[in-house]
Amino acid sequence: MRRPSSVTRYLASAAVTALLASGLGGCQTMGDVAGALTSKSTEANLDSDPRRAAEVYGERYRANPKDTDAALRYGQVLRSTGQRAQAVAMLEQASITNPGNKALLASYGRALVDNGNFKQAYDVLSRAHSPANPDWRILSVQGTALDQMGKHEEARGYYASALRIAPDEPSVLSKLGLSYVLSRDLPRAEETLRKAQASGRADARVRQNLALAVGLQGRFAEAESIARADLPPDEAAANVAYLKQMLNRKDPRTVARGKPPVMAQDPAD
């Protein structure tokens, strides 16, 4: 098995920003777990209270394991709150209970990527859509799984397919840029990430990944300037210091352990 590069380990360990968490939406009162969805005002309340959302959606799902909406929402809140193993276990069971449900398979595959089960994730995601009706979001996540397995060229084929469906989609371009970072093609990584940033729809992930690509080329002041758009100055400076430490050591595996930088890896969206 190929040993992951220092950059791969860096990306895999980097903290994910709060902006990555998806909205939850929808809920059910504890006294009516088998009923219809509640009002939008209750949905909004759950959006701001992940712990309560986990309780509500968990109760709904346990009351009726065939409630695919409850399973999807419960899985999403588990993922967004970092309960990766729990999300995998629940979505696996939900997929068994509701065989062939592509939305559940897609969510299960994303949870597997979050949890580091990349080969299994790729296989599950392959069943979540079809060649006749491809989903660019799933193609993008399949690319992520392949990149994490070290199959960068194959991963880029999936990103290219996703971009044919969703041209210039910044989230896909961001992952493509990281794919080039992983194979140390830093100029192409920067070019791709600048294209994503120029789309007008780029979020913090794109900017932080661009800062990573710039910093790994030794342009630390520029990297810090980019990172400061989304991070407090002390965190931006800490990221750049970490990058300097990586680049200055002859053996990157000896980089001091500690809190990893904020910038980096896009999750399984």
Side-chain angles (χ1 to χ4, degrees):
M1 179 180 296
R2 179 184 300 185
R3 187 185 187 92
S5 69
S6 62
V7 178
T8 302
R9 293 195 298 273
Y10 164 70
L11 292 172
S13 67
V16 177
T17 69
L19 293 174
L20 305 183
S22 302
L24 303 177
C27 91
Q28 196 74 18
T29 64
M30 297 295 283
D32 188 25
V33 293
L37 293 177
T38 58
S39 68
K40 291 186 179 296
S41 62
T42 306
E43 294 177 14
N45 288 339
L46 289 184
D47 283 348
S48 61
D49 189 350
R51 183 190 62 78
R52 174 64 174 163
E55 291 176 356
V56 171
Y57 297 139
E59 287 290 337
R60 273 187 57 195
Y61 170 70
R62 286 187 288 273
N64 180 13
K66 289 188 175 294
D67 184 345
T68 56
D69 180 76
L72 289 168
R73 294 179 188 275
Y74 187 33
Q76 189 174 44
V77 73
L78 289 174
R79 291 179 59 219
S80 71
T81 55
Q83 300 179 71
R84 298 173 178 178
Q86 295 93 320
V88 166
M90 188 280 293
L91 288 165
E92 179 181 26
Q93 187 57 51
S95 298
I96 293 171
T97 304
N98 302 275
N101 186 293
K102 293 190 180 301
L104 278 174
L105 287 171
S107 187
Y108 177 33
R110 289 181 172 97
L112 286 165
V113 171
D114 290 345
N115 204 46
N117 306 103
F118 304 120
K119 176 62 169 65
Q120 186 180 1
Y122 176 82
D123 294 339
V124 169
L125 290 166
S126 296
R127 295 187 281 119
H129 61 160
S130 65
N133 188 28
D135 185 324
W136 68 265
R137 295 173 182 83
I138 295 176
L139 289 168
S140 180
V141 181
Q142 286 180 282
T144 298
L146 289 165
D147 261 329
Q148 291 297 329
M149 289 189 283
K151 300 179 179 181
H152 305 308
E153 289 297 331
E154 191 174 347
R156 289 165 202 161
Y158 279 81
Y159 299 137
S161 295
L163 289 168
R164 282 193 289 272
I165 300 169
D168 297 328
E169 167 57 41
S171 65
V172 181
L173 288 171
S174 183
K175 292 181 179 182
L176 176 58
L178 281 180
S179 182
Y180 289 126
V181 169
L182 289 169
S183 59
R184 305 294 290 187
D185 189 346
L186 298 176
R188 187 172 294 185
E190 180 182 350
E191 178 186 3
T192 303
L193 289 162
R194 288 196 183 280
K195 182 178 180 181
Q197 185 183 39
S199 71
R201 294 175 288 132
D203 62 15
R205 290 173 293 182
V206 174
R207 289 184 291 274
Q208 297 308 317
N209 291 336
L210 175 58
L212 173 65
V214 169
L216 286 172
Q217 294 177 79
R219 288 152 43 208
F220 301 117
E222 185 180 354
E224 187 171 347
S225 176
I226 296 169
R228 279 181 176 172
D230 305 292
L231 300 177
D234 59 336
E235 290 188 12
N239 284 358
V240 171
Y242 190 95
L243 289 173
K244 288 180 179 179
Q245 193 177 22
M246 284 180 61
L247 294 177
N248 289 339
R249 290 179 181 266
K250 294 181 179 179
D251 182 357
R253 289 174 295 181
T254 66
V255 171
R257 294 179 181 178
K259 183 179 178 181
V262 173
M263 58 188 173
Q265 180 175 331
D266 292 326
D269 294 329

